[in-house]
Structure formats: structure tokens, C-alpha cells
């Protein structure tokens, strides 16, 4: 199952936490997690992103004010992901990282992976881990 992760670089620490929690699934080959950290020096970065977007079966959105404010995400990532969700059944799996204006966004019609009234950043670290484990379990169910 190919998964595209859309996030703001300002929230890279949350990407790292997600990658750590998903490592057992990536190690087993249950999921193929793609984010822009896989782009290598010399790669055509825009083409790499477009290819990953086109191949995705699940999209993880790490939603924060930074994510919502990103023109690159709004113009280049969200449109093809939302179109694929409508046309091809791509699953939108959005995770509220911090309080944001997510209700103004088109992806808001999809069920969040966690309660947006309690975004991850508002929780103590041990609770963040508990929620991330549950999110990983939900992703595994989608992927298998």
C-alpha cells in the first residue's frame, strides 16, 4: 500500500514521530511510506512528488496552521489528492497536529484520524504516543 505524506517542513518533528511509529509496518513491507525526505540530491524533486502523488492509495495529511498556510501544499499536493479521493477512492487520512483552521479546508469533509479538538501537540508526550499507536493500527487496517 503506497502512502503519501503531506506536511509542512515547519512540522518536520511530527513527520519524524510518525515515521518512527510506522517503522514496523514499513520494515515488514505492509506499507510504502513516501514523503519528500526520500528525494535524493540530483533528483527532479517536482517530478518525484508528482509521481508519488499519482501512485498513492492513502494520503496522510499532518495538519497544522503551517500546513494550511503552505501555498505549495494548497496548490500542488491537495488538489491531486482530493481529486484522487473522489475519482479513484484514495483514502484521506488527516491527523490534527495542532489547532488550526481545518474547518475551512476541503479535506475537512473526511473523518480525521484523531479528534481535532484534541490535536497531538495539545497532549502530553505519553498520550501523543498512545494516539500515534492507534493511528498506526488504523493505517494497518486500511492497508491490509
Amino acid at each position: 500500500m503506497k502512502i503519501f505524506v503531506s506536511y509542512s517542513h515547519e512540522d518536520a518533528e511530527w513527520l519524524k514521530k510518525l515515521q518512527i511509529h510506522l517503522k514496523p509496518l514499513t520494515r515488514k513491507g505492509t506499507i510504502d511510506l513516501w514523503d519528500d525526505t526520500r528525494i535524493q540530491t540530483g533528483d527532479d524533486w517536482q517530478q518525484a512528488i508528482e509521481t508519488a502523488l499519482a501512485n498513492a492509495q492513502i494520503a496522510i495529511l499532518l495538519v497544522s496552521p503551517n500546513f494550511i498556510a503552505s501555498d505549495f501544499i494548497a496548490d500542488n499536493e491537495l488538489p491531486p489528492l482530493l481529486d484522487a479521493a473522489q475519482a479513484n477512492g484514495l483514502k484521506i487520512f488527516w491527523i490534527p497536529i495542532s489547532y488550526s483552521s481545518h474547518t475551512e479546508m476541503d479535506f475537512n469533509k473526511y473523518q480525521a484520524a484523531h479528534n481535532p479538538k484534541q490535536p497531538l501537540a495539545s497532549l502530553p508526550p505519553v498520550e501523543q504516543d498512545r494516539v500515534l499507536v492507534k493511528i498506526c493500527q488504523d493505517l494497518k487496517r486500511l492497508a491490509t
Side-chain angles (χ1 to χ4, degrees), residues 23-127:
K23 188 64 176 179
L25 298 178
T26 58
R27 185 180 296 124
K28 287 181 182 176
T30 306
I31 63 170
D32 180 8
L33 191 68
W34 194 95
D35 60 74
D36 65 358
T37 63
R38 289 178 57 174
I39 299 172
Q40 301 295 310
T41 302
D43 287 350
D44 179 336
W45 64 268
Q46 195 158 13
Q47 183 59 51
I49 292 171
E50 289 172 8
T51 299
L53 284 165
N55 292 329
Q57 296 159 297
I58 297 173
I60 296 175
L61 314 179
L62 299 181
V63 178
S64 70
N66 295 318
F67 177 90
I68 290 171
S70 170
D71 289 333
F72 184 84
I73 291 170
D75 296 340
N76 297 285
E77 293 182 2
L78 285 178
L81 291 173
L82 294 173
D83 289 347
Q86 288 283 16
N88 305 326
L90 174 130
K91 298 291 185 188
I92 302 292
F93 200 91
W94 70 276
I95 302 170
I97 298 301
S98 55
Y99 294 105
S100 69
S101 298
H102 64 85
T103 57
E104 301 300 319
M105 304 299 290
D106 291 340
F107 65 78
N108 191 59
K109 73 178 186 176
Y110 297 97
Q111 180 66 38
H114 177 69
N115 184 351
K117 293 180 181 177
Q118 295 178 321
L120 290 178
S122 73
L123 303 173
V126 69
E127 187 67 10

Side-chain angles (χ1 to χ4, degrees), residues 5-23 33 35-37 60-67 95-99 114 118-133 135-136 139:
V5 181
S6 181
Y7 73 104
S8 166
H9 287 173
E10 301 292 325
D11 300 321
E13 73 273 11
W14 290 102
L15 172 65
K16 183 69 174 165
K17 288 178 185 185
L18 180 67
Q19 289 169 328
I20 289 167
H21 280 275
L22 287 172
K23 188 64 176 179
L33 191 68
D35 60 74
D36 65 358
T37 63
I60 296 175
L61 314 179
L62 299 181
V63 178
S64 70
N66 295 318
F67 177 90
I95 302 170
I97 298 301
S98 55
Y99 294 105
H114 177 69
Q118 295 178 321
L120 290 178
S122 73
L123 303 173
V126 69
E127 187 67 10
Q128 291 173 7
D129 284 336
R130 186 191 68 74
V131 170
L132 284 167
V133 167
I135 287 170
C136 292
L139 271 171

